[in-house]
Amino acid sequence: MSENSQRREAYELFLRGHHEWQTLQRYRMQDGIQHLLRAVELDPTFNTPHIDLANARVIQMISGFVPPSEAAQQVHQVADAMHASVEGAEAVLPALGWILFHVDHDLPGAIRAFSNSAHLPHETSITRHRSLFALSRHRFIEAIGLLTEALHVDPYSPWLNARLAWAYHLSGEAAKSLAQAEHALDIFPGHESTNIYGSIILAFNGQADRAIAVAEN
C-alpha cells in the first residue's frame, strides 16, 4: 500500500471511529476505538486520532465500560506520544487532566494540565472535561460559566443543555435547574444525556411519575 493510500485509509478510519465512539453505546464505542487504533497504526503522524483515543477512553471510563486503570494507561500513552512541541498537542491535556485528578489523584498535575489548555476554544470533549473537572471540585459557578459560554457557540448541543441543568442542580439552584431540564427535554426528548439528567432533576423536584417515564425512555 502506498503512503498516500495509507493516509487516506487512516483518515477514513478516523472518521468512522470518531462517529462510533460518540454514540455512547458500549460495543459501538469499542468498535470506534479499534478504528482509531488502526488509524494511528497506519499513520502515526496523524494527531487527531490520538486525541480522539484519549477522549474516548475517558468517556468509556465515566460510562463504566472500562476500568479506570485501563483508561488511564491509554491516555498517558497518548500524552507521551504527543510531545508538547507537536502542533495541536494541547488538545489532549483536558483528558489527561481528568485522568490525573480522578485516577492518579494528582490535583496539582490536573490543575496544570487544565491551565495549560485554558486557551483552547470550545470543542465537545474539551468543554465536557473542563466542566466535569469544575463540578468535581464543587466549583459550580465556574462550571455554569463554561457551559453557558459554550452554549452561545453550540446552542443545539443536547449534552451541553443537559449538563447545564445538572450544574444548576448541583449548585442548589432548583428553579433554574428544573427550567433548564424542561428546556432540554422539549428540544431533545430522546437523547441519553437529556433523559439521564432530566429524570434525576424531575424526581428531585417532586415529579416522580414523569421522572420514571423519562428514565424508561
Side-chain angles (χ1 to χ4, degrees):
M1 184 183 294
S2 69
E3 185 174 340
N4 286 338
S5 296
Q6 280 187 296
R7 288 181 175 175
R8 184 166 56 251
E9 184 178 349
Y11 183 70
E12 291 173 354
L13 285 166
F14 158 68
L15 291 177
R16 290 167 59 190
H18 181 75
H19 172 73
E20 291 297 320
W21 78 258
Q22 293 192 83
T23 62
L24 303 183
Q25 298 174 23
R26 182 171 189 165
Y27 296 107
R28 290 183 67 182
M29 288 183 75
Q30 188 57 43
D31 287 344
I33 286 171
Q34 292 304 313
H35 291 323
L36 294 172
L37 288 169
R38 178 59 178 155
V40 168
E41 182 181 334
L42 285 170
D43 186 0
T45 65
F46 187 14
N47 293 329
T48 312
H50 286 280
I51 296 167
D52 247 36
L53 271 172
N55 291 326
R57 287 302 192 187
V58 171
I59 300 305
Q60 271 193 316
M61 183 189 77
I62 292 172
S63 302
F65 296 154
V66 297
S69 58
E70 181 179 327
Q73 181 181 19
Q74 182 76 66
V75 173
H76 279 296
Q77 286 176 351
V78 171
D80 290 343
M82 297 191 67
H83 191 271
S85 63
V86 175
E87 184 178 356
E90 302 99 329
V92 79
L93 290 178
L96 178 62
W98 175 262
I99 291 296
L100 289 169
F101 181 60
H102 284 278
V103 183
D104 299 339
H105 304 143
D106 179 5
L107 177 58
I111 292 173
R112 200 159 46 245
F114 281 104
S115 295
N116 290 340
S117 58
H119 63 285
L120 296 175
H122 161 70
E123 188 275 330
T124 299
S125 294
I126 291 172
T127 301
R128 179 187 286 120
H129 300 326
R130 284 174 176 166
S131 61
L132 284 173
F133 181 59
L135 290 173
S136 297
R137 300 174 66 208
H138 293 191
R139 300 173 71 101
F140 303 125
I141 294 175
E142 178 182 336
I144 289 167
L146 284 168
L147 294 166
T148 302
E149 185 177 344
L151 276 167
H152 290 311
V153 179
D154 191 6
Y156 295 106
S157 166
W159 85 264
L160 278 177
N161 278 278
R163 186 64 55 74
L164 180 58
W166 185 240
Y168 281 135
H169 174 75
L170 293 178
S171 70
E173 299 181 69
K176 286 185 177 181
S177 172
L178 184 59
Q180 181 62 31
E182 293 279 11
H183 174 69
L185 287 166
D186 285 343
I187 303 177
F188 315 106
H191 197 270
E192 293 91 340
S193 63
T194 301
N195 290 338
I196 290 170
Y197 292 122
S199 62
I200 297 171
I201 292 167
L202 289 170
F204 181 84
N205 287 277
Q207 300 187 35
D209 290 342
R210 190 172 173 217
I212 291 169
V214 169
E216 288 176 342
N217 188 37

